[in-house]
């Protein structure tokens, strides 16, 4: 070691000793992590995936927070079940893969319980009734689902709306226009790129009501099968499922669910289904 290096090193050592001494005057040094008492067991935070472009069920407010009916329901369910949740915006395409891979513990995203999906995931008890609804321009002659057969129809990829339209027009029919989100499909309707959009009634009604400039109207059809939303968990996660069902039961029993429903749709569920609530 040359002299200079030695001086430098000893200077550092001295500084270290001084610092340590100073430190001691204020507080004892923090104990080394290994030697510390066992930390309290970390609280499990369940990660909830939601495609937050689906108002009024899930959307982002001006602050970028994820809000909506589904968010309120799961937050209330979690409180009853005594679990912690964190919502993460997750694109619809890939949302079920994220669940299967464990990147999300649950999915709340206005997800319709279907037989096919039940093959790859488990669902809570149903928490919301829905149906498909057609959106068209006010001037459109469409009066029933069958009228869409020869038209360009926008849907959100991989939704039950996509399934219904694919069945009517044929899965590979290029008149089925698939979009990443339902609002994008509805924007395309406004722009004239598609003649109709088929999507969940609650979302279509909300969009039409909030975009009067789009000059839309809605067309319902009894041909659309009744749908029910459920909270999805990874197949076999019976422990979490039991907690969610227990929470759902509790919020339905004590009026919390009805409060959330009224906050979102303006009327309690018994008095008005979302479809009739907005048809003026
Ligand atoms: N209910 C429909 C389905 O399950 C559409 C749900 C889309 N949800 C969403 N947040 N984008 O297929």
């Amino acid at each position: 070691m040359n002299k200079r290096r030695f001086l430098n090193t000893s200077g550092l050592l001295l500084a270290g000793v001084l610092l340590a001494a100073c430190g001691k005057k204020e507080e004892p040094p923090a104990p080394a992590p290994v030697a510390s008492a066992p930390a309290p067991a970390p609280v499990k935070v369940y990660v909830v995936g939601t495609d937050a472009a689906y108002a009024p069920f899930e959307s982002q407010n001006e602050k970028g927070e994820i809000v909506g009916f589904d968010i309120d329901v799961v937050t209330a369910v979690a409180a009853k079940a005594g679990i912690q949740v964190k919502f993460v915006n997750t694109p619809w395409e890939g949302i079920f893969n994220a669940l299967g891979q464990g990147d999300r513990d649950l999915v709340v995203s206005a997800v319709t319980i279907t037989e096919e999906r039940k093959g790859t995931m488990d669902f809570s008890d149903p928490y919301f009734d829905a149906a498909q609804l057609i959106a068209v321009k006010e001037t459109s002659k469409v009066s029933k689902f069958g009228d869409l057969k020869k038209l360009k129809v926008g849907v959100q990829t991989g939704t039950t709306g996509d399934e219904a339209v694919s069945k009517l027009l044929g899965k590979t029919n290029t008149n089925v226009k698939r979009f990443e989100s339902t609002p994008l499909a509805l924007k395309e309707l406004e722009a004239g790129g598609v003649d109709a959009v088929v999507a969940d009634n609650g979302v279509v009604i909300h969009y039409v009501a909030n975009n009067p400039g789009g000059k839309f109207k809605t067309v319902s059809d009894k041909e659309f099968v009744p749908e029910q939303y459920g909270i999805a968990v990874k197949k076999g996660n019976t422990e979490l499922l039991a907690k969610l069902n227990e929470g759902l039961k509790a919020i339905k029993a004590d009026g919390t669910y009805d409060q959330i429903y009224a906050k979102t749709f303006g009327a309690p569920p018994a008095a008005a289904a979302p479809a009739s609530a907005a048809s003026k």
Side-chain angles (χ1 to χ4, degrees):
M1 193 185 288
N2 64 34
K3 193 169 175 194
R4 191 150 179 210
R5 178 99 175 264
F6 170 77
L7 281 175
N8 276 347
T9 315
S10 53
L12 276 177
L13 278 174
L14 184 62
V17 170
L18 282 173
L19 273 176
C22 288
K24 239 171 227 154
K25 260 181 230 155
E26 292 166 12
E27 260 173 75
V34 234
S36 63
V43 181
K44 163 93 179 150
V45 178
Y46 290 91
V47 181
V48 187
T50 186
D51 172 28
Y54 216 63
F57 296 96
E58 42 266 338
S59 60
Q60 276 181 291
N61 66 15
E62 320 76 49
K63 290 186 219 149
E65 296 156 344
I66 302 175
V67 296
F69 180 80
D70 283 352
I71 310 312
D72 290 347
V73 165
V74 169
T75 302
V77 163
K80 296 283 185 203
I83 61 170
Q84 293 220 31
V85 289
K86 172 180 124 188
F87 296 91
V88 178
N89 197 0
T90 309
W92 177 254
E93 283 177 78
I95 206 167
F96 299 129
N97 276 340
L99 186 68
Q101 283 162 11
D103 294 338
R104 304 288 181 269
D105 297 300
L106 49 147
V107 167
V108 71
S109 207
V111 180
T112 300
I113 303 168
T114 69
E115 284 309 312
E116 193 188 343
R117 287 176 184 161
K118 276 196 215 162
T120 52
M121 64 196 84
D122 286 337
F123 283 102
S124 71
D125 295 335
Y127 68 89
F128 193 83
D129 293 331
Q132 295 304 301
L133 185 65
I134 304 163
V136 287
K137 289 283 198 153
E138 271 170 18
T139 50
S140 169
K141 294 201 176 65
V142 169
S143 68
K144 57 182 187 306
F145 185 43
D147 292 344
L148 302 185
K149 202 145 188 181
K150 295 265 145 29
L151 301 179
K152 279 188 197 144
V153 188
V155 295
Q156 182 177 10
T157 310
T159 57
T160 45
D162 184 355
E163 274 169 41
V165 171
S166 295
K167 211 162 145 196
L168 181 73
L169 273 71
K171 212 177 166 72
T172 56
N173 189 327
T174 52
N175 273 346
V176 185
K177 305 290 180 197
R178 297 187 173 89
F179 295 84
E180 203 178 294
S181 77
T182 296
L184 280 177
L186 288 157
K187 282 205 183 91
E188 193 61 14
L189 176 63
E190 187 167 354
V194 295
D195 305 306
V197 166
V198 175
D200 292 6
N201 51 357
V203 174
V204 169
I205 287 165
H206 181 91
Y207 190 92
V208 169
N210 287 285
N211 293 276
K215 303 212 180 311
F216 301 118
K217 67 177 178 191
T218 61
V219 176
S220 57
D221 192 320
K222 290 201 187 69
E223 235 187 82
F224 293 124
V225 293
E227 299 183 27
Q228 290 187 305
Y229 296 164
I231 306 166
V233 302
K234 188 176 177 160
K235 197 147 193 59
N237 194 351
T238 47
E239 195 189 326
L240 179 55
L241 205 59
K243 286 180 183 155
L244 296 176
N245 282 337
E246 176 200 317
L248 273 173
K249 212 174 267 164
I251 67 163
K252 282 180 187 166
D254 77 353
T256 306
Y257 178 90
D258 285 357
Q259 267 169 28
I260 297 170
Y261 194 104
K263 172 187 162 192
T264 315
F265 300 105
S276 49
S279 58
K280 290 172 199 140

